[in-house]
Amino acid sequence: MHTQNQFCSMAIMIILLYLFLRQKRVGLYTEKVFLRTLLVAMLCVSLDILSLIAIHYRADIPAPFLDLICKSYIMTLIWVSYTALTYVITDLYTEKEYYKKLRQIRPWTILGMIIVYCLPIYYHTDNNEIYTEGPAVLATYLFAISFIIATIYTMARYGSRITPKRRFAVITWMVLWFLTAAVQFLNNQLLLVGLGCGLGMMALYCTLENPENNINHAYGCFHQHVLVRYLQQCYERGLSKSVMFISFISERQQGINENYMDDCLRKLISWAKDNDSVKVFRGVERELAFVFSDMSEMSKAFTQIQEQFYYDQFYNQKSAKDGNNEEFPVSLFILFPDTLLLNDGNEVMSVRRAIYADNSNITSSFVCYANERLLEQIRNKKQVMSQIIQALEEDRVEVFYQPTYATKDKHFASAEALVRIREKDGTIIPPGQFIPIAEESGLISKLGERVFEKVCAFLKENNPEKLGIKYLEVNLSVIQCEQRNLSEHYLDIMKKYGIDPWYINLEITETGSVSSKNVLLSNMNRLIAEGVSFSLDDFGNGQSNLDYMIDMPVSIMKLDMNMTQSYFTDLKARFVVRATIQLAHELDLFVVAEGVETKEQLDEMIALGVDYIQGFYFSKPLPAKEYLKFLHTHGSPV
Ligand code: C2E
Ligand code: CA
Ligand code: CA
């Protein structure tokens, strides 16, 4: 009787079970699936050994008992092949769907086992060979092979959705099984299937299920890559968790010793270790994620951490409770009160990235609450960004033109180009809904460039002289003005379309810093040298200063709509508007009044000496074709 291989396999699996149970585990359901698979494999090998012993001593054992042992063994072979199939599908479904699928496959397994139990089994022993045969064994092969084929089919069909690691592990398992079965089939004395089973489990453990892979030993916590899986699972189970990210802010890292930073990180982790209700995950850089069972646990922990480690900064006192007088590195706290507010487990990471990228949501004490309002804002931003990207890709960015009336010449001498996005269903999205997000995300450069190209293409197609247009006004975002290569880029575009720069007027607004003002100035000078002119947009909207009008080489000053309209409602504004127009004229600038909506406003502005009028009184911004029609009908002086 040869049972060495089976005992060897058992030993391997006992060691695996020990290692698996000994390690700290995150609590993923895939861990449970593995444990179940391992236990089934152990049962299979134990019954294998038992059946060999029983056959060996079959003269001393009652026949029904012998049948029961041997049939139980071959029944577990079906069970093991069924678990292989269930193992591959864990990546394909959510936890709920997974268990639903199991319920669909399980009856076949049970049916297989019942059939095996009902069919007769025969024993064969001569010399050193011991094996079973007969209909029950045949049925076992049939069912086991069907499950193995289903496993291979699933991997082939949905391979891309199964993680490569899982595919590799299951293929190794199947190959080991197949090879050992083939050897055993050819040489009945070599009972290798049991060993194949154990080695297969080892392959699964080493590639996939070693809990060590999830543990960051250097810090004694979990790796962040399992955080998403863990949260996803909680999400699917409808379990709410609260997550707190703590990350040392990098600018402040300067001056703080690297080792000290590391010590601080370890202190936070060891604080969490004393607290049973928290799971700690370590991210890249100096970031930790603490997962709590609920909001109140997180609030409690947050207060404790603040008091214990950040005492100095928050209370401005030099007496941290742990007796450490050194300052704890300033950290950003991102608090997710309820992970069920998220769309899935992955969103925690994308929201956290968005918060890092845009610090406007962070309070002065470096805390950010990822509450419903913020999540909505971040989702909206993401959606608008993909709307812009898609519109750019699918050429759904359009330019509308709002005619500008020249009061002296009494005709529509120019127009402002205003961007729109046309949705697939034809609806128009106004710039107010996407320009701020395009600016924040940097997409404005591409968008602005596209608008400029469209304007150049329009000028190329329609002879501006014939239309009576002196120039077209195109908006430049502050972000674009800060780019050093802007002027060369725009000159290239004009060259590409063969447009004389005289037909282009670029509208600028105030930029924040001195350095960006200098970049803007050099861009302006380069473009002005080629013939482009500039307007100072939105003058009087609260962000503009008189010195900008004086310093910058603009030839036109545009009165913001609010300023134009307040002229008619506010006595003080009247003086300001009058004085501004006078000053602009003294500086040799033309003045445009934006937002003129009524005949009364028009007359008043003309009386004030405004050179150009732009507003709904004459026209709203129009699509290119309608603008051409407009010029056609209003071609002669009004
Ligand atoms: P803006 O540059 O001040 O453009 C004038 C805005 O005032 C336009 O809104 C126009 O439709 C609106 N407007 C003009 N006359 C009247 C009026 O009589 N009454 C009222 N209620 N509104 C009037 P629009 O097209 O929605 O553009 C909004 C803003 O979006 C623009 O303000 C500009 O800051 C930005 N924008 C538009 N196109 C572009 C672009 O291509 N690039 C950049 N960077 N920004 C753009
Ligand atoms: Ca403008
Ligand atoms: Ca404006």
Side-chain angles (χ1 to χ4, degrees):
M1 188 176 48
H2 294 283
T3 47
Q4 303 92 315
N5 292 333
Q6 281 80 351
F7 276 110
C8 188
S9 173
M10 253 336 248
I12 293 174
M13 290 192 284
I14 289 170
I15 294 171
L16 291 182
L17 185 66
Y18 168 74
L19 290 176
F20 185 80
L21 294 177
R22 196 192 58 149
Q23 289 291 6
K24 196 164 121 178
R25 275 158 284 134
V26 188
L28 300 172
Y29 82 97
T30 48
E31 291 168 346
K32 264 198 216 150
V33 175
F34 174 74
L35 188 61
R36 204 185 52 209
T37 312
L38 185 60
L39 291 175
V40 172
M42 287 174 83
L43 180 69
C44 177
V45 175
S46 319
L47 285 169
D48 189 4
I49 298 171
L50 204 62
S51 66
L52 287 173
I53 298 171
I55 298 172
H56 190 78
Y57 296 106
R58 72 177 196 271
D60 309 325
I61 309 175
F65 190 54
L66 177 70
D67 279 5
L68 180 70
I69 294 176
C70 293
K71 283 182 181 173
S72 300
Y73 162 56
I74 54 176
M75 274 154 64
T76 55
L77 286 176
I78 299 180
W79 198 359
V80 171
S81 43
Y82 153 79
T83 37
L85 176 61
T86 64
Y87 209 83
V88 214
I89 60 173
T90 47
D91 280 347
L92 301 180
Y93 306 105
T94 62
E95 190 185 0
K96 249 194 206 148
E97 291 168 344
Y98 171 75
Y99 283 112
K100 199 170 142 202
K101 261 283 162 305
L102 285 201
R103 280 195 293 277
Q104 287 171 6
I105 317 172
R106 206 176 289 141
W108 294 102
T109 322
I110 296 170
L111 178 72
M113 290 170 147
I114 293 173
I115 290 176
V116 167
Y117 193 74
C118 295
L119 290 174
I121 189 166
Y122 309 125
Y123 308 98
H124 186 95
T125 50
D126 64 1
N127 301 331
N128 282 330
E129 293 179 19
I130 299 181
Y131 59 88
T132 48
E133 54 186 13
V137 179
L138 206 68
T140 307
Y141 275 123
L142 273 178
F143 274 95
I145 289 172
S146 313
F147 280 126
I148 292 172
I149 291 174
T151 308
I152 294 169
Y153 169 79
T154 311
M155 272 197 290
R157 169 102 200 260
Y158 305 104
S160 56
R161 280 163 58 199
I162 302 170
T163 52
K165 264 188 169 179
R166 188 172 302 277
R167 245 180 303 159
F168 173 77
V170 176
I171 287 173
T172 314
W173 183 19
M174 294 287 108
V175 166
L176 278 169
W177 239 41
F178 185 77
L179 284 181
T180 48
V183 171
Q184 186 168 329
F185 185 75
L186 295 174
N187 184 347
N188 285 329
Q189 288 184 32
L190 284 173
L191 300 179
L192 288 178
V193 171
L195 184 63
C197 196
L199 291 176
M201 284 297 109
M202 197 156 84
L204 278 193
Y205 181 84
C206 294
T207 27
L208 282 178
E209 304 299 350
N210 182 354
E212 285 235 345
N213 296 340
N214 298 335
I215 296 174
N216 184 333
H217 279 289
Y219 290 85
C221 58
F222 296 115
H223 283 301
Q224 194 155 292
H225 67 83
V226 270
L227 173 65
V228 172
R229 277 172 64 198
Y230 176 66
L231 292 179
Q232 180 63 25
Q233 175 181 300
C234 296
Y235 185 82
E236 284 165 11
R237 289 180 179 178
L239 287 177
S240 164
K241 296 278 167 191
S242 298
V243 185
M244 172 163 73
F245 284 94
I246 306 180
S247 120
F248 295 162
I249 293 172
S250 55
E251 295 126 77
R252 306 284 185 109
Q253 278 176 17
Q254 295 144 3
I256 299 184
N257 179 298
E258 283 278 309
N259 293 337
Y260 177 66
M261 298 277 283
D262 229 50
D263 280 352
C264 295
L265 207 72
R266 283 173 202 283
K267 269 189 199 164
L268 281 171
I269 294 172
S270 72
W271 170 86
K273 269 191 187 149
D274 301 336
N275 189 336
D276 284 343
S277 67
V278 54
K279 281 193 162 65
V280 186
F281 299 80
R282 162 121 156 75
V284 282
E285 301 290 312
R286 299 192 192 286
E287 185 193 50
L288 292 176
F290 289 7
V291 179
F292 301 90
S293 49
D294 60 43
M295 175 71 186
S296 68
E297 289 287 342
M298 182 168 77
S299 308
K300 221 165 56 194
F302 180 65
T303 317
Q304 282 175 13
I305 291 177
Q306 297 272 323
E307 283 180 4
Q308 194 158 338
F309 301 103
Y310 296 88
Y311 202 67
D312 298 353
Q313 293 152 36
F314 289 93
Y315 302 95
N316 235 348
Q317 290 171 23
K318 270 272 163 219
S319 58
K321 279 189 183 165
D322 63 353
N324 175 14
N325 277 338
E326 263 185 285
E327 199 175 316
F328 216 71
V330 174
S331 311
L332 169 61
F333 291 82
I334 300 178
L335 305 178
F336 286 84
D338 178 2
T339 48
L340 289 186
L341 293 176
L342 299 162
N343 286 332
D344 56 32
N346 284 313
E347 212 188 1
V348 108
M349 291 318 204
S350 61
V351 167
R352 155 192 151 277
R353 266 198 306 277
I355 292 171
Y356 284 144
D358 170 18
N359 48 22
S360 64
N361 297 304
I362 300 165
T363 66
S364 55
S365 47
F366 299 104
V367 181
C368 179
Y369 291 93
N371 51 20
E372 236 164 324
R373 191 190 51 78
L374 180 60
L375 292 179
E376 202 49 54
Q377 203 179 312
I378 290 173
R379 280 180 200 141
N380 175 50
K381 186 173 160 183
K382 214 168 141 192
Q383 193 210 335
V384 171
M385 275 167 69
S386 71
Q387 225 169 15
I388 300 172
I389 294 170
Q390 260 190 27
L392 281 166
E393 276 169 4
E394 294 165 10
D395 198 19
R396 288 187 283 105
V397 172
E398 283 190 24
V399 177
F400 278 31
Y401 296 89
Q402 187 178 30
T404 308
Y405 180 71
T407 52
K408 307 262 161 26
D409 299 344
K410 296 197 165 74
H411 82 125
F412 293 94
S414 64
E416 178 171 3
L418 294 154
V419 68
R420 303 285 185 267
I421 284 180
R422 190 177 288 277
E423 282 286 67
K424 282 186 188 146
D425 63 4
T427 48
I428 294 287
I429 311 178
Q433 283 182 29
F434 59 86
I435 290 283
I437 289 169
E439 288 183 331
E440 266 176 52
S441 61
L443 285 169
I444 192 69
S445 305
K446 275 208 175 122
L447 195 64
E449 218 171 82
R450 182 67 61 87
V451 170
F452 193 62
E453 286 219 25
K454 298 231 163 195
V455 170
C456 289
F458 177 84
L459 286 170
K460 190 182 174 188
E461 265 174 44
N462 305 285
N463 185 344
E465 222 130 279
K466 275 194 189 154
L467 297 176
I469 308 175
K470 283 204 277 187
Y471 53 80
L472 287 177
E473 297 145 48
V474 186
N475 289 284
L476 272 187
S477 153
V478 170
I479 313 286
Q480 289 176 281
C481 298
E482 288 167 355
Q483 289 160 358
R484 288 181 193 281
N485 59 358
L486 173 87
S487 48
E488 292 311 320
H489 218 86
Y490 271 41
L491 287 171
D492 285 347
I493 295 175
M494 285 185 270
K495 213 188 240 168
K496 181 173 146 195
Y497 288 89
I499 301 303
D500 189 336
W502 284 99
Y503 290 121
I504 300 293
N505 176 283
L506 296 177
E507 298 194 352
I508 57 156
T509 46
E510 274 204 37
T511 69
S513 69
V514 177
S515 72
S516 54
K517 190 174 170 183
N518 288 338
V519 178
L520 167 61
L521 208 57
S522 78
N523 274 322
M524 286 175 83
N525 288 331
R526 176 77 186 92
L527 287 160
I528 288 169
E530 299 294 327
V532 174
S533 63
F534 281 85
S535 300
L536 181 57
D537 201 1
D538 300 341
F539 192 87
N541 76 347
Q543 282 163 21
S544 47
N545 281 314
L546 272 181
D547 60 343
Y548 228 76
M549 181 154 75
I550 298 162
D551 289 351
M552 302 310 265
V554 289
S555 42
I556 296 171
M557 192 270 295
K558 294 187 80 167
L559 277 182
D560 186 63
M561 185 167 86
N562 287 335
M563 196 156 178
T564 309
Q565 297 196 339
S566 67
Y567 177 88
F568 299 97
T569 52
D570 180 344
L571 200 62
K572 268 192 206 148
R574 232 162 229 262
F575 294 117
V576 177
V577 171
R578 264 204 207 108
T580 309
I581 294 171
Q582 196 184 346
L583 175 70
H585 280 157
E586 275 167 19
L587 289 167
D588 257 352
L589 305 180
F590 290 110
V591 175
V592 180
E594 282 189 315
V596 172
E597 292 183 343
T598 62
K599 177 82 171 77
E600 179 203 352
Q601 289 173 352
L602 170 73
D603 292 341
E604 192 70 33
M605 286 297 136
I606 292 176
L608 281 173
V610 167
D611 307 277
Y612 298 96
I613 304 288
Q614 183 182 345
F616 289 179
Y617 174 71
F618 286 119
S619 170
K620 288 192 171 176
L622 302 168
K625 268 190 194 153
E626 285 180 40
Y627 170 55
L628 289 173
K629 255 192 239 161
F630 177 93
L631 286 182
H632 200 68
T633 40
H634 298 83
S636 50
V638 177

